[in-house]
Amino acid sequence: MKNISISDFKVTAAVSLKDIPTSIDLETSEKKKAKELNKLREKLSEHQDIMYAHNKYSVLICLQGMDTAGKDSLIREVFKEFNPRGVVVHSFKTPSSLELQHDYLWRHVIALPQRGKYGVFNRTHYENVLVTRVHPSYILSENIPGINSLDDITEEFWEKRFEQINNFEKQISENGTIILKFYLHLGKEEQRQRLLRRLNKAKHNWKFSPGDLKEREKWEEYQKYYEDAINKTSKPHAPWYVIPSDNKETARVLVAKAILEQMNQLKDIREPELDEKIKQNIELYKEILSKEKN
């Protein structure tokens, strides 16, 4: 497999999405990619077990991408070796009436992972500067003071949202949440092929919605706003990675590799040491249990 550096996909300066390829050749077979992914997720699972016992950090994985980018299958394949108690997935859809009674970050705050656990956001708080920017009329349902019409939704409004999101991520990061954000960078032609496959395979028809075609018409707008969001919110404590995603297996390997690389940098995560009194009496506890009758 081609030797790649995950840092090549990390956003540390302003990027232009049209200049970043949606496909990368790892110079290996799909079978070998699957083997590599299996090794990576086993290591991630082992690390998560230790993190759970250590109980000081949590991990927030944010996944964004256009429709059909492969978010669901990536979650299934990358985290399949995790202990179920160690990872919680949240898929955020259109805000409910209850959620609209709170600020736009509320539903994400209450879904944050506990210490020792991974939280995976399938679509994230960034929908509030992506979908709502393409469809600003959605903002009106939030009933925000001072926002009475579309004319009130200015560039300053969006700049304030980016500031709020950056502050939110900084606050949770400073309190022990490791944040990794992945944009699954899909080509427009690849999306067309994936939508066609949904229509051509009866068992996948349920995944298709005519609304997908309406959103596809706004492809360039979405790319513009994704680029803006990534450039304004990729920070050392909450970095974005732009992951070439025309090949799903490649994307999964890259994401798993990025997570493992980050977690390996946290040298203070280790299994807690046994209390000295318990350690001194281990033989006694063994003896008690050994003598116990069935």
Side-chain angles (χ1 to χ4, degrees):
M1 184 178 290
K2 182 180 180 181
N3 189 21
I4 55 167
S5 171
I6 287 301
S7 61
D8 291 343
F9 305 96
K10 191 175 184 178
V11 177
T12 56
V15 296
S16 170
L17 288 180
K18 64 179 173 49
D19 295 332
I20 299 176
T22 58
S23 180
I24 181 174
D25 184 5
L26 294 186
E27 298 175 4
T28 190
S29 66
E30 299 300 291
K31 190 175 180 181
K32 286 185 178 176
K33 282 187 218 172
K35 282 186 178 179
E36 177 67 12
L37 178 59
N38 192 50
K39 284 193 289 185
L40 289 167
R41 63 191 174 204
E42 283 181 3
K43 288 178 183 176
L44 280 171
S45 175
E46 290 167 8
H47 197 284
Q48 194 280 321
D49 279 342
I50 296 170
M51 188 184 81
Y52 184 85
H54 188 239
N55 199 40
K56 285 196 176 179
Y57 292 99
S58 59
V59 180
L60 177 61
I61 305 297
C62 295
L63 297 176
Q64 285 286 162
M66 297 293 285
D67 289 332
T68 77
K71 297 180 291 296
D72 291 331
S73 60
L74 185 145
I75 292 168
R76 183 184 67 242
E77 294 302 321
V78 170
F79 298 99
K80 73 191 300 182
E81 296 296 329
F82 274 48
N83 186 316
R85 72 181 179 181
V87 59
V88 181
V89 179
H90 293 275
S91 296
F92 294 100
K93 302 188 185 298
T94 303
S96 68
S97 56
L98 171 63
E99 290 165 344
L100 286 171
Q101 293 303 310
H102 299 268
D103 71 273
Y104 70 95
L105 284 172
W106 176 78
R107 64 177 182 161
H108 304 287
V109 171
I110 62 173
L112 287 171
Q114 301 172 20
R115 295 191 193 283
K117 293 190 177 186
Y118 274 64
V120 182
F121 284 3
N122 182 355
R123 297 192 183 277
T124 71
H125 43 294
Y126 283 95
E127 293 291 289
N128 298 284
V129 288
L130 292 167
V131 174
T132 51
R133 212 166 172 193
V134 174
H135 301 282
S137 60
Y138 294 171
I139 292 293
L140 300 180
S141 356
E142 296 182 24
N143 208 22
I144 303 169
I147 305 296
N148 303 307
S149 72
L150 292 180
D151 292 337
D152 297 321
I153 305 170
T154 62
E155 281 303 308
E156 289 166 332
F157 173 86
W158 297 114
E159 290 303 315
K160 177 59 73 174
R161 283 225 154 166
F162 285 128
E163 182 184 348
Q164 291 164 351
I165 287 171
N166 281 328
N167 288 339
F168 163 61
E169 292 179 350
K170 190 168 191 294
Q171 186 262 325
I172 63 172
S173 169
E174 288 174 348
N175 284 275
T177 298
I178 310 304
I179 308 167
L180 294 168
K181 302 177 294 194
F182 298 97
Y183 171 58
L184 303 186
H185 193 25
L186 184 71
K188 192 174 183 182
E189 172 58 19
E190 178 60 24
Q191 189 200 53
R192 186 178 76 87
Q193 294 295 337
R194 291 184 186 183
L195 287 171
L196 277 171
R197 284 198 289 275
R198 285 183 178 180
L199 290 169
N200 289 331
K201 290 187 177 181
K203 68 177 182 178
H204 291 157
N205 285 173
W206 66 272
K207 293 183 179 181
F208 180 80
S209 164
D212 296 340
L213 300 183
K214 287 287 184 187
E215 293 301 282
R216 183 172 163 79
E217 290 172 8
K218 300 181 182 295
W219 182 276
E220 298 307 324
E221 271 188 273
Y222 274 107
Q223 295 300 298
K224 174 185 172 185
Y225 294 138
Y226 264 114
E227 185 178 294
D228 197 32
I230 289 167
N231 285 332
K232 287 176 177 169
T233 62
S234 192
K235 306 294 180 183
H237 59 272
W240 275 103
Y241 293 80
V242 177
I243 303 294
S245 297
D246 280 0
N247 180 283
K248 289 185 178 183
E249 288 74 17
T250 295
R252 293 165 191 164
V253 168
L254 295 177
V255 168
K257 207 172 177 66
I259 299 170
L260 184 61
E261 183 176 285
Q262 173 61 42
M263 299 313 292
N264 282 338
Q265 289 176 20
L266 300 171
K267 303 299 183 187
D268 61 325
I269 296 181
R270 59 187 179 276
E271 290 180 339
E273 286 193 20
L274 202 58
D275 179 90
E276 196 58 40
K277 269 190 175 180
I278 297 175
K279 199 186 291 185
Q280 288 172 3
N281 287 290
I282 279 183
E283 293 306 317
L284 172 63
Y285 302 140
K286 283 185 190 176
E287 186 180 346
I288 291 169
L289 286 167
S290 298
K291 289 178 178 177
E292 200 175 277
K293 292 180 180 179
N294 292 332

